[in-house]
Amino acid sequence: MPIYDLRCGEGHRFEVIQSFTAPLPDCPYCGAATTKVPSRVAVTGLASAPPPPERMPQTWRGTYGANREYVAELRRTADARRRLEEKYPELAGDRRPILAHEGRFERAPLRAGDPLPGAAPSHAHAHGHGHGHGHGHGHGHGHGRATGERSRPSEVAP
């Protein structure tokens, strides 16, 4: 039997389940005559986009040891994502190659061109030596020695 939304002249709304041939009941709140009103549409279900490549398994363990059925489903999912991105390029996101995706990079993969987290910025000089790599000789531009003072053999690290 269908469900009807009814309303009376006083504005009361209610639902009834009854045969489409049965007469409409009076309002249960005030007893006035009722009329059918358009039902509210209930949209159910869930729409979801296939995950982007960086959210897909990247390791042997992530594919359950390359389980044939699981890998086939991953391929179908990847194909669905590719088709979606072809239709809606704004969903494509960052396509730079992923260099690291495990350990500390599990939640935010390291991509080509990203700085290494925790790495100090480079201070390389024109003569090719960077700071702090322990080669033990002075450069004449200040590493805690007086200008022009050279390192002595006893100061060189073994």
Side-chain angles (χ1 to χ4, degrees):
M1 285 201 280
I3 299 173
Y4 294 104
D5 285 332
L6 303 177
R7 181 177 59 207
C8 71
E10 297 294 317
H12 300 121
R13 287 183 74 130
F14 61 100
E15 292 181 343
V16 294
I17 299 175
Q18 67 179 41
S19 167
F20 65 93
T21 58
L24 296 178
D26 291 336
C27 177
Y29 304 106
C30 66
T34 58
T35 58
K36 291 180 185 177
V37 293
S39 295
R40 296 178 201 104
V41 177
V43 178
T44 60
L46 178 65
S48 64
E54 60 268 14
R55 302 294 300 163
M56 299 284 281
Q58 306 284 324
T59 64
W60 176 266
R61 187 181 315 166
T63 62
Y64 300 103
N67 175 280
R68 180 184 298 260
E69 289 81 21
Y70 188 71
V71 170
E73 180 61 29
L74 288 176
R75 285 187 180 133
R76 286 189 291 274
T77 301
D79 288 342
R81 180 66 188 205
R82 182 187 45 76
R83 288 189 303 273
L84 182 68
E85 289 176 1
E86 286 172 358
K87 188 172 182 179
Y88 302 101
E90 64 274 11
L91 296 177
D94 194 347
R95 289 293 168 244
R96 292 177 294 152
I98 295 174
L99 303 177
H101 54 79
E102 295 177 321
R104 66 180 178 169
F105 301 108
E106 186 173 347
R107 299 229 186 267
L110 179 66
R111 294 183 176 275
D114 287 347
L116 288 174
S122 176
H123 295 320
H125 294 289
H127 60 288
H129 294 291
H131 288 258
H133 54 82
H135 54 275
H137 64 271
H139 297 290
H141 56 78
H143 280 285
R145 293 184 181 82
T147 305
E149 185 179 334
R150 295 189 173 194
S151 63
R152 292 182 289 277
S154 62
E155 293 177 23
V156 176

